[in-house]
Amino acid sequence: MILPFLRGMGPMSTKPPSTPGSANYVVGTYGIIIPVYTTLTVQIWGSGGGGGGVYSSLAGPGLVPNSVRGGVGGTSYFAAPSGTLIADGGNGGGNGYIDQSDGSFTGFGEGGSVGGAGGGTTNAAGSGNAGGGPGDQGAITGGRGGRGGFVSRTWNYYDPGAPVFGASYTLVCGGGGDGGAGFVNDGETGPQARYGGAGANASAAMSWT
């Protein structure tokens, strides 16, 4: 039997009314003030790694393919009470290399590995933002930067460890990795830059009902 004074009581009976909404975030560090919510979802798309450049033997003697890499994308996270959501940045692509001593093309750059993710109900390696494009010297290119990871989690307001109304939690969206250096030299015009492209910055979204 349900006692009369318990009828109609449940999780919602202790919560102030909430207004659905959403917010988007770009690269940077934030102190997120949590609104009143029924459900709260945080999603982070990790940053991409930088693309690899291209070197030639006249501009970078002694190098080999993949000896110079693009930068690693910055780590992104949301520090929730139940555990930190993390989206790692992608790794940088390797350089391509042209051996001009005999006119041969000695190797393409390899692509950067993807960033991982953890702490969410969805943790998807390589499903974040794009890596940087490769440096290009026609027949030879560097490697593309790896994509960042993706993490997402949804809380009910009454879940253990759920973010608390009115509290502030840190959100970081990391920067994309720098493009890898590269220089070629045709022996006539001097060194020319053949850098890889920078990886995309991380981004994040928060929505609530």
Side-chain angles (χ1 to χ4, degrees), residues 25-73:
Y25 303 92
V26 296
V27 62
T29 299
Y30 304 86
I32 303 297
I33 305 298
I34 301 300
V36 175
Y37 66 90
T38 301
T39 62
L40 176 75
T41 299
V42 174
Q43 299 172 292
I44 305 174
W45 293 265
S47 58
V54 177
Y55 278 94
S56 69
S57 57
L58 292 180
L63 293 177
V64 295
N66 305 306
S67 58
V68 178
R69 307 194 73 91
V72 177

Short mmCIF file of all heavy atoms in Angstrom, two decimals, residues 25-73:
data_model
loop_
_atom_site.label_atom_id
_atom_site.label_comp_id
_atom_site.label_asym_id
_atom_site.label_seq_id
_atom_site.Cartn_x
_atom_site.Cartn_y
_atom_site.Cartn_z
N TYR A 25 31.01 25.50 -27.62
CA TYR A 25 32.29 26.01 -27.15
C TYR A 25 33.37 25.74 -28.19
O TYR A 25 33.39 24.68 -28.83
CB TYR A 25 32.66 25.35 -25.82
CG TYR A 25 31.60 25.54 -24.76
CD1 TYR A 25 30.59 24.60 -24.58
CD2 TYR A 25 31.58 26.68 -23.96
CE1 TYR A 25 29.60 24.78 -23.63
CE2 TYR A 25 30.60 26.88 -23.01
CZ TYR A 25 29.61 25.92 -22.85
OH TYR A 25 28.62 26.11 -21.91
N VAL A 26 34.28 26.69 -28.33
CA VAL A 26 35.41 26.57 -29.23
C VAL A 26 36.68 26.44 -28.39
O VAL A 26 36.61 26.28 -27.17
CB VAL A 26 35.48 27.78 -30.19
CG1 VAL A 26 34.25 27.81 -31.09
CG2 VAL A 26 35.59 29.10 -29.42
N VAL A 27 37.84 26.49 -29.04
CA VAL A 27 39.10 26.28 -28.34
C VAL A 27 39.24 27.27 -27.18
O VAL A 27 38.93 28.46 -27.30
CB VAL A 27 40.29 26.39 -29.32
CG1 VAL A 27 40.37 27.77 -29.95
CG2 VAL A 27 41.59 26.00 -28.64
N GLY A 28 39.67 26.77 -26.02
CA GLY A 28 39.82 27.61 -24.84
C GLY A 28 39.50 26.84 -23.58
O GLY A 28 39.18 25.65 -23.60
N THR A 29 39.58 27.55 -22.45
CA THR A 29 39.29 26.99 -21.13
C THR A 29 38.12 27.74 -20.52
O THR A 29 38.11 28.98 -20.53
CB THR A 29 40.52 27.09 -20.22
OG1 THR A 29 41.60 26.35 -20.79
CG2 THR A 29 40.23 26.53 -18.83
N TYR A 30 37.15 27.01 -19.98
CA TYR A 30 35.92 27.60 -19.48
C TYR A 30 35.60 27.08 -18.08
O TYR A 30 35.90 25.93 -17.74
CB TYR A 30 34.74 27.24 -20.39
CG TYR A 30 34.92 27.60 -21.84
CD1 TYR A 30 35.57 26.73 -22.72
CD2 TYR A 30 34.43 28.80 -22.35
CE1 TYR A 30 35.74 27.05 -24.05
CE2 TYR A 30 34.60 29.13 -23.69
CZ TYR A 30 35.25 28.25 -24.53
OH TYR A 30 35.40 28.57 -25.85
N GLY A 31 34.98 27.93 -17.29
CA GLY A 31 34.34 27.52 -16.05
C GLY A 31 32.85 27.47 -16.31
O GLY A 31 32.18 28.51 -16.34
N ILE A 32 32.31 26.28 -16.53
CA ILE A 32 30.91 26.12 -16.95
C ILE A 32 30.01 26.12 -15.71
O ILE A 32 30.16 25.29 -14.81
CB ILE A 32 30.71 24.80 -17.72
CG1 ILE A 32 31.65 24.75 -18.94
CG2 ILE A 32 29.26 24.64 -18.14
CD1 ILE A 32 31.38 25.81 -19.96
N ILE A 33 29.07 27.06 -15.67
CA ILE A 33 28.06 27.08 -14.60
C ILE A 33 26.89 26.21 -15.05
O ILE A 33 26.29 26.44 -16.10
CB ILE A 33 27.58 28.51 -14.32
CG1 ILE A 33 28.77 29.43 -14.00
CG2 ILE A 33 26.57 28.51 -13.17
CD1 ILE A 33 29.55 29.03 -12.77
N ILE A 34 26.57 25.22 -14.25
CA ILE A 34 25.55 24.24 -14.65
C ILE A 34 24.15 24.80 -14.40
O ILE A 34 23.83 25.23 -13.28
CB ILE A 34 25.73 22.93 -13.86
CG1 ILE A 34 27.12 22.35 -14.10
CG2 ILE A 34 24.65 21.92 -14.24
CD1 ILE A 34 27.43 22.03 -15.54
N PRO A 35 23.30 24.81 -15.43
CA PRO A 35 21.92 25.29 -15.26
C PRO A 35 21.07 24.22 -14.57
O PRO A 35 21.47 23.07 -14.43
CB PRO A 35 21.46 25.51 -16.70
CG PRO A 35 22.20 24.46 -17.47
CD PRO A 35 23.56 24.35 -16.81
N VAL A 36 19.90 24.62 -14.15
CA VAL A 36 18.92 23.63 -13.68
C VAL A 36 18.52 22.76 -14.87
O VAL A 36 18.23 23.28 -15.95
CB VAL A 36 17.68 24.32 -13.07
CG1 VAL A 36 16.63 23.28 -12.69
CG2 VAL A 36 18.08 25.15 -11.85
N TYR A 37 18.55 21.46 -14.68
CA TYR A 37 18.26 20.56 -15.79
C TYR A 37 17.54 19.30 -15.30
O TYR A 37 17.59 18.95 -14.11
CB TYR A 37 19.55 20.15 -16.52
CG TYR A 37 20.50 19.31 -15.69
CD1 TYR A 37 20.43 17.92 -15.69
CD2 TYR A 37 21.49 19.92 -14.91
CE1 TYR A 37 21.31 17.15 -14.93
CE2 TYR A 37 22.36 19.16 -14.14
CZ TYR A 37 22.27 17.77 -14.16
OH TYR A 37 23.13 17.02 -13.40
N THR A 38 16.89 18.64 -16.24
CA THR A 38 16.38 17.29 -16.00
C THR A 38 17.38 16.27 -16.52
O THR A 38 17.75 15.33 -15.83
CB THR A 38 15.01 17.10 -16.67
OG1 THR A 38 14.10 18.08 -16.15
CG2 THR A 38 14.45 15.71 -16.39
N THR A 39 17.82 16.46 -17.78
CA THR A 39 18.95 15.70 -18.32
C THR A 39 19.97 16.69 -18.86
O THR A 39 19.62 17.75 -19.37
CB THR A 39 18.52 14.74 -19.44
OG1 THR A 39 17.99 15.50 -20.54
CG2 THR A 39 17.49 13.74 -18.94
N LEU A 40 21.23 16.30 -18.77
CA LEU A 40 22.34 17.15 -19.23
C LEU A 40 23.27 16.30 -20.07
O LEU A 40 23.69 15.22 -19.63
CB LEU A 40 23.09 17.72 -18.03
CG LEU A 40 24.34 18.56 -18.35
CD1 LEU A 40 23.93 19.94 -18.88
CD2 LEU A 40 25.22 18.73 -17.11
N THR A 41 23.59 16.79 -21.27
CA THR A 41 24.50 16.07 -22.17
C THR A 41 25.70 16.95 -22.50
O THR A 41 25.53 18.11 -22.88
CB THR A 41 23.79 15.68 -23.48
OG1 THR A 41 22.70 14.81 -23.18
CG2 THR A 41 24.74 14.97 -24.43
N VAL A 42 26.90 16.39 -22.37
CA VAL A 42 28.14 17.06 -22.76
C VAL A 42 28.80 16.23 -23.85
O VAL A 42 28.95 15.00 -23.71
CB VAL A 42 29.09 17.24 -21.57
CG1 VAL A 42 30.43 17.81 -22.04
CG2 VAL A 42 28.47 18.17 -20.52
N GLN A 43 29.19 16.88 -24.94
CA GLN A 43 29.88 16.24 -26.05
C GLN A 43 31.15 17.02 -26.36
O GLN A 43 31.14 18.26 -26.37
CB GLN A 43 29.00 16.23 -27.31
CG GLN A 43 27.69 15.47 -27.16
CD GLN A 43 26.80 15.67 -28.36
OE1 GLN A 43 26.31 16.79 -28.59
NE2 GLN A 43 26.61 14.62 -29.15
N ILE A 44 32.25 16.29 -26.62
CA ILE A 44 33.52 16.93 -26.97
C ILE A 44 34.08 16.25 -28.21
O ILE A 44 34.24 15.02 -28.24
CB ILE A 44 34.55 16.85 -25.83
CG1 ILE A 44 33.99 17.44 -24.54
CG2 ILE A 44 35.84 17.59 -26.23
CD1 ILE A 44 34.91 17.24 -23.33
N TRP A 45 34.39 17.06 -29.22
CA TRP A 45 35.09 16.60 -30.42
C TRP A 45 36.55 17.03 -30.29
O TRP A 45 36.87 18.23 -30.34
CB TRP A 45 34.46 17.20 -31.66
CG TRP A 45 33.06 16.73 -31.94
CD1 TRP A 45 32.68 15.71 -32.77
CD2 TRP A 45 31.83 17.26 -31.39
NE1 TRP A 45 31.32 15.57 -32.77
CE2 TRP A 45 30.77 16.50 -31.93
CE3 TRP A 45 31.54 18.29 -30.48
CZ2 TRP A 45 29.44 16.75 -31.61
CZ3 TRP A 45 30.22 18.53 -30.15
CH2 TRP A 45 29.18 17.77 -30.72
N GLY A 46 37.45 16.06 -30.13
CA GLY A 46 38.85 16.37 -29.90
C GLY A 46 39.53 17.00 -31.11
O GLY A 46 39.08 16.89 -32.26
N SER A 47 40.65 17.66 -30.85
CA SER A 47 41.39 18.37 -31.89
C SER A 47 42.18 17.42 -32.78
O SER A 47 42.53 16.30 -32.39
CB SER A 47 42.34 19.37 -31.24
OG SER A 47 43.24 18.69 -30.37
N GLY A 48 42.45 17.87 -34.00
CA GLY A 48 43.22 17.07 -34.95
C GLY A 48 44.71 17.32 -34.85
O GLY A 48 45.17 18.38 -34.41
N GLY A 49 45.48 16.33 -35.27
CA GLY A 49 46.93 16.49 -35.35
C GLY A 49 47.33 17.24 -36.61
O GLY A 49 46.58 17.32 -37.58
N GLY A 50 48.54 17.81 -36.59
CA GLY A 50 49.02 18.55 -37.75
C GLY A 50 49.49 17.63 -38.86
O GLY A 50 49.99 16.52 -38.62
N GLY A 51 49.33 18.08 -40.10
CA GLY A 51 49.80 17.31 -41.25
C GLY A 51 51.31 17.38 -41.38
O GLY A 51 51.95 18.33 -40.94
N GLY A 52 51.88 16.36 -42.00
CA GLY A 52 53.33 16.33 -42.23
C GLY A 52 53.73 17.14 -43.45
O GLY A 52 52.99 17.22 -44.43
N GLY A 53 54.92 17.73 -43.41
CA GLY A 53 55.44 18.49 -44.53
C GLY A 53 56.21 17.61 -45.50
O GLY A 53 56.13 16.38 -45.45
N VAL A 54 56.94 18.23 -46.41
CA VAL A 54 57.79 17.52 -47.37
C VAL A 54 59.18 18.16 -47.36
O VAL A 54 59.31 19.38 -47.38
CB VAL A 54 57.21 17.58 -48.80
CG1 VAL A 54 58.15 16.88 -49.80
CG2 VAL A 54 55.83 16.94 -48.85
N TYR A 55 60.21 17.32 -47.33
CA TYR A 55 61.60 17.76 -47.44
C TYR A 55 62.23 17.18 -48.69
O TYR A 55 61.86 16.08 -49.14
CB TYR A 55 62.42 17.29 -46.23
CG TYR A 55 62.29 18.14 -45.00
CD1 TYR A 55 61.36 17.83 -44.02
CD2 TYR A 55 63.09 19.27 -44.82
CE1 TYR A 55 61.23 18.62 -42.88
CE2 TYR A 55 62.98 20.05 -43.69
CZ TYR A 55 62.05 19.72 -42.73
OH TYR A 55 61.93 20.50 -41.61
N SER A 56 63.21 17.91 -49.22
CA SER A 56 64.05 17.36 -50.28
C SER A 56 65.49 17.31 -49.77
O SER A 56 65.86 17.98 -48.82
CB SER A 56 63.97 18.23 -51.54
OG SER A 56 64.59 19.49 -51.33
N SER A 57 66.30 16.49 -50.41
CA SER A 57 67.66 16.28 -49.93
C SER A 57 68.50 17.55 -49.99
O SER A 57 69.45 17.71 -49.21
CB SER A 57 68.33 15.16 -50.73
OG SER A 57 68.32 15.46 -52.12
N LEU A 58 68.18 18.49 -50.89
CA LEU A 58 68.93 19.74 -50.96
C LEU A 58 68.53 20.71 -49.85
O LEU A 58 69.27 21.65 -49.56
CB LEU A 58 68.75 20.40 -52.32
CG LEU A 58 69.36 19.68 -53.52
CD1 LEU A 58 69.10 20.46 -54.79
CD2 LEU A 58 70.86 19.48 -53.31
N ALA A 59 67.36 20.49 -49.25
CA ALA A 59 66.89 21.40 -48.20
C ALA A 59 66.99 20.78 -46.81
O ALA A 59 67.07 21.50 -45.82
CB ALA A 59 65.44 21.80 -48.47
N GLY A 60 66.99 19.47 -46.73
CA GLY A 60 67.05 18.81 -45.43
C GLY A 60 67.90 17.56 -45.51
O GLY A 60 67.40 16.44 -45.40
N PRO A 61 69.21 17.71 -45.75
CA PRO A 61 70.07 16.53 -45.93
C PRO A 61 70.07 15.64 -44.69
O PRO A 61 70.02 16.10 -43.57
CB PRO A 61 71.44 17.14 -46.18
CG PRO A 61 71.38 18.51 -45.59
CD PRO A 61 69.98 18.96 -45.78
N GLY A 62 70.11 14.34 -44.95
CA GLY A 62 70.17 13.39 -43.85
C GLY A 62 68.82 12.96 -43.32
O GLY A 62 68.75 12.06 -42.48
N LEU A 63 67.74 13.57 -43.79
CA LEU A 63 66.42 13.18 -43.32
C LEU A 63 65.93 11.94 -44.08
O LEU A 63 66.43 11.60 -45.15
CB LEU A 63 65.43 14.32 -43.53
CG LEU A 63 65.65 15.58 -42.68
CD1 LEU A 63 64.63 16.64 -43.06
CD2 LEU A 63 65.56 15.26 -41.20
N VAL A 64 64.95 11.30 -43.50
CA VAL A 64 64.25 10.19 -44.14
C VAL A 64 62.76 10.43 -43.97
O VAL A 64 62.35 11.28 -43.17
CB VAL A 64 64.65 8.83 -43.51
CG1 VAL A 64 66.11 8.53 -43.77
CG2 VAL A 64 64.34 8.81 -42.03
N PRO A 65 61.91 9.70 -44.70
CA PRO A 65 60.47 9.88 -44.49
C PRO A 65 60.08 9.64 -43.04
O PRO A 65 60.61 8.76 -42.36
CB PRO A 65 59.86 8.82 -45.41
CG PRO A 65 60.88 8.62 -46.48
CD PRO A 65 62.21 8.77 -45.80
N ASN A 66 59.16 10.47 -42.55
CA ASN A 66 58.58 10.36 -41.20
C ASN A 66 59.55 10.67 -40.07
O ASN A 66 59.34 10.28 -38.93
CB ASN A 66 57.96 8.96 -41.00
CG ASN A 66 56.95 8.64 -42.07
OD1 ASN A 66 56.02 9.40 -42.29
ND2 ASN A 66 57.15 7.53 -42.77
N SER A 67 60.62 11.40 -40.38
CA SER A 67 61.54 11.81 -39.31
C SER A 67 61.14 13.12 -38.67
O SER A 67 61.60 13.46 -37.58
CB SER A 67 62.97 11.92 -39.86
OG SER A 67 63.03 12.83 -40.94
N VAL A 68 60.26 13.90 -39.33
CA VAL A 68 59.72 15.14 -38.78
C VAL A 68 58.20 15.04 -38.87
O VAL A 68 57.65 14.75 -39.94
CB VAL A 68 60.22 16.38 -39.57
CG1 VAL A 68 59.60 17.65 -39.02
CG2 VAL A 68 61.73 16.45 -39.54
N ARG A 69 57.51 15.29 -37.76
CA ARG A 69 56.07 15.08 -37.73
C ARG A 69 55.34 16.37 -37.38
O ARG A 69 55.90 17.28 -36.76
CB ARG A 69 55.69 13.99 -36.72
CG ARG A 69 56.44 12.68 -36.91
CD ARG A 69 55.80 11.55 -36.12
NE ARG A 69 54.55 11.12 -36.72
CZ ARG A 69 54.45 10.13 -37.62
NH1 ARG A 69 55.53 9.49 -38.04
NH2 ARG A 69 53.28 9.79 -38.11
N GLY A 70 54.07 16.42 -37.78
CA GLY A 70 53.21 17.51 -37.34
C GLY A 70 52.95 17.41 -35.84
O GLY A 70 53.22 16.39 -35.20
N GLY A 71 52.43 18.49 -35.28
CA GLY A 71 52.18 18.53 -33.84
C GLY A 71 50.97 17.70 -33.43
O GLY A 71 50.06 17.45 -34.22
N VAL A 72 50.98 17.29 -32.17
CA VAL A 72 49.86 16.54 -31.60
C VAL A 72 48.77 17.51 -31.16
O VAL A 72 49.06 18.57 -30.58
CB VAL A 72 50.33 15.70 -30.39
CG1 VAL A 72 49.17 14.96 -29.75
CG2 VAL A 72 51.42 14.73 -30.81
N GLY A 73 47.51 17.18 -31.44
CA GLY A 73 46.41 18.02 -30.99
C GLY A 73 46.31 18.05 -29.47
O GLY A 73 46.59 17.06 -28.79
#
